[in-house]
Amino acid sequence: MSERRPYPNWPPTWPYRRDEPPVSARTAMVATTDRYATQVGLEVLRAGGNAVDAAVAVSFALAVVNPEAGNIGGGGYLVLRMADGTVLAQDHRSTAPLAASRDMFLDAHGDVGESAVIGALSAGVPGTVRGLWDAHQRFGAQPWEGLVEPAVALAHGFEVGERFLRSYTADVIDGLRRFPESARVFLPGGRAPAVGDVFRQGDLARTLARVRDHGPDGFYGGETAEQIAAAMRTRGGLITRADLESYASLWCEPVRFRYRGHTVLSMPPSSSGGSTLAEIGHILAGFDLGELAWHGTRHVHLLAEAWRRAYADRNELVADPAFADVPLDALTSPAYGAWRARDIDLDAATP
C-alpha cells in the first residue's frame, strides 16, 4: 500500500523527508540557502564573532554561491536583537537612481515593458555593501577584512553542487544567453556547469577584494563605482557615480506585535513584510487554529482569508514612507485586524 501524501500536489522533488528531525544547537545556529555560506557563518562564530559578524560574512558568501538570492548588486533588510535587548531594524534596500522618472518603464503603447525587470534600466542603486558595513561598524566584533575574505576565496573557485544547479532552469539559461557578460560568467564554455565542476568568478573576486580592503569606498567609489557607471552608460541604465556616492542605509524601529503570547519583531516600511505579518496575525487571533487539523480544509481556508485581506491592504496602502503616508499604526493594530476579520465566512470564500 503506497504512502498517503499529506497534500495532493506534494512536490516529488522536495528534498526533505516529512519526518526530518529538527536541527538543534546549544549556543548558536546559522541557516542559509547554501552549505558553503552556512560553513562560513559557523567558522566566524567559532572564532569569537557575534551574530552580526556571521551575518556579514554569510551575506558576502551568498553573493558568490547563491547569486540570485544573496548579492552585492541588490539590497535588503536586517532585523536585529542583541543579547542586551537592543532591538533595531535596518533598511538597505536598493533605491531608484536620481534620474528615475514616473513613466520610465512604459513602452510606446503606454504599457509596462520588460525593461522594468530585465536589463540595466531595471537596476536600482545597490545597498547591500553599505548596509552590511554600517551594521558591522555599529555591532560587529571581528575585523571587517576577515569577514569578507571567505567570499573572496569562494569567488576564486568553489565546487558546484546540486543546489547551485537548481538555479539553472531552461528559462534562466535562455535569459543569461541574452547578455554576453552574463553568459560569459554563468555559462562557462557556453553551458551550465555540472556537479563537481569548479566555478570561478574572477571579476567578482576582484570586486570583493576591493570591498574587503576599502570597505564601502571600495564599492561606492573608485574602480568598482566607475565600472558600474560605465556599464550603465553603455547599456541604457541610469545609475551614476553620484547615485552610488549618495547611497545611505537607514536605521529604524522594527514593527512589533503580539501573537498568542509571543512578541514578534519584523521589518517596517519600505518593506511590506512586517505590517502584512502583523495584520495576518491579528486577523487570525480571533480563531482557535490549534483546534483545527493542520492544513485541513478549515485551517487552509482561514489562512487564505487572512492573507487575502492583509495583501489587499499591502498592495493599496504600503509603500516607501519617504514617498507615501503609510498608516502603519492602524495596519498593525489588533483592533484593525479584528475589524478586518469581521466578514470572514467559515463556509465560503470571499469573492
Side-chain angles (χ1 to χ4, degrees):
M1 187 173 181
S2 62
E3 178 187 18
R4 183 170 178 265
R5 294 181 179 272
Y7 316 112
N9 298 316
W10 185 275
T13 57
W14 182 251
Y16 309 108
R17 302 193 314 268
R18 282 194 302 154
D19 58 348
E20 194 82 31
V23 178
S24 62
R26 296 186 65 85
T27 56
M29 184 175 288
V30 177
T32 86
T33 59
D34 190 276
R35 64 184 180 90
Y36 287 113
T38 297
Q39 189 61 39
V40 165
L42 290 172
E43 290 173 358
V44 168
L45 294 176
R46 288 172 180 144
N50 63 20
V52 172
D53 294 321
V56 168
V58 162
S59 296
F60 282 116
L62 286 172
V64 181
V65 298
N66 192 188
E68 75 276 25
N71 59 84
I72 58 173
Y77 300 111
L78 180 149
V79 177
L80 172 147
R81 185 185 186 280
M82 300 300 286
D84 63 2
T86 298
V87 174
L88 277 173
Q90 188 207 62
D91 184 334
H92 58 267
R93 184 73 181 266
S94 305
T95 58
L98 295 170
S101 61
R102 181 178 183 272
D103 299 333
M104 59 189 280
F105 296 126
L106 299 184
D107 61 21
H109 305 289
D111 299 321
V112 176
E114 73 166 10
S115 64
V117 292
I118 297 176
L121 189 64
S122 67
V125 183
T128 296
V129 173
R130 172 62 69 181
L132 295 177
W133 170 266
D134 290 348
H136 176 263
Q137 289 294 104
R138 189 162 181 175
F139 295 105
Q142 295 289 302
W144 171 263
E145 295 82 357
L147 302 178
V148 185
E149 174 56 33
V152 177
L154 286 167
H156 282 299
F158 66 90
E159 186 175 315
V160 170
E162 291 183 1
R163 192 222 57 80
F164 185 76
L165 290 186
R166 286 200 293 271
S167 301
Y168 281 86
T169 63
D171 288 344
V172 167
I173 293 173
D174 288 344
L176 291 170
R177 285 182 172 143
R178 292 181 56 181
F179 302 93
E181 279 296 292
S182 298
R184 179 183 67 82
V185 174
F186 293 104
L187 300 173
R191 64 169 180 83
V195 171
D197 287 353
V198 176
F199 188 67
R200 296 181 172 87
Q201 301 168 83
D203 291 338
L204 180 57
R206 288 183 284 275
T207 300
L208 287 169
R210 290 191 286 272
V211 173
R212 176 197 63 198
D213 297 340
H214 305 292
D217 291 341
F219 185 84
Y220 296 96
E223 183 178 348
T224 302
E226 184 51 45
Q227 288 182 1
I228 293 171
M232 289 288 148
R233 289 193 297 269
T234 59
R235 292 168 172 81
L238 297 179
I239 299 173
T240 65
R241 290 289 297 266
D243 288 309
L244 294 165
E245 291 166 0
S246 63
Y247 184 87
S249 70
L250 302 173
W251 290 102
C252 43
E253 286 297 314
V255 166
R256 185 193 302 255
F257 65 97
R258 297 282 291 173
Y259 182 72
R260 303 189 194 275
H262 299 280
T263 298
V264 182
L265 304 172
S266 191
M267 193 68 204
S270 61
S271 169
S272 62
S275 63
T276 306
L277 188 64
E279 185 175 342
I280 291 168
H282 291 144
I283 291 171
L284 293 174
F287 301 94
D288 192 354
L289 298 184
E291 292 299 312
L292 303 178
W294 170 252
H295 275 198
T297 303
R298 184 60 56 87
H299 186 205
V300 171
H301 174 69
L302 286 172
L303 293 178
E305 292 299 304
W307 295 337
R308 282 177 167 181
R309 287 157 174 77
Y311 273 87
D313 286 340
R314 168 195 181 273
N315 294 343
E316 182 71 20
L317 300 170
V318 182
D320 187 338
F323 301 95
D325 184 12
V326 181
L328 185 62
D329 289 342
L331 289 172
T332 59
S333 70
Y336 182 71
W339 181 82
R340 262 311 212 169
R342 77 197 185 286
D343 58 354
I344 291 178
D345 186 334
L346 295 180
D347 299 310
T350 302

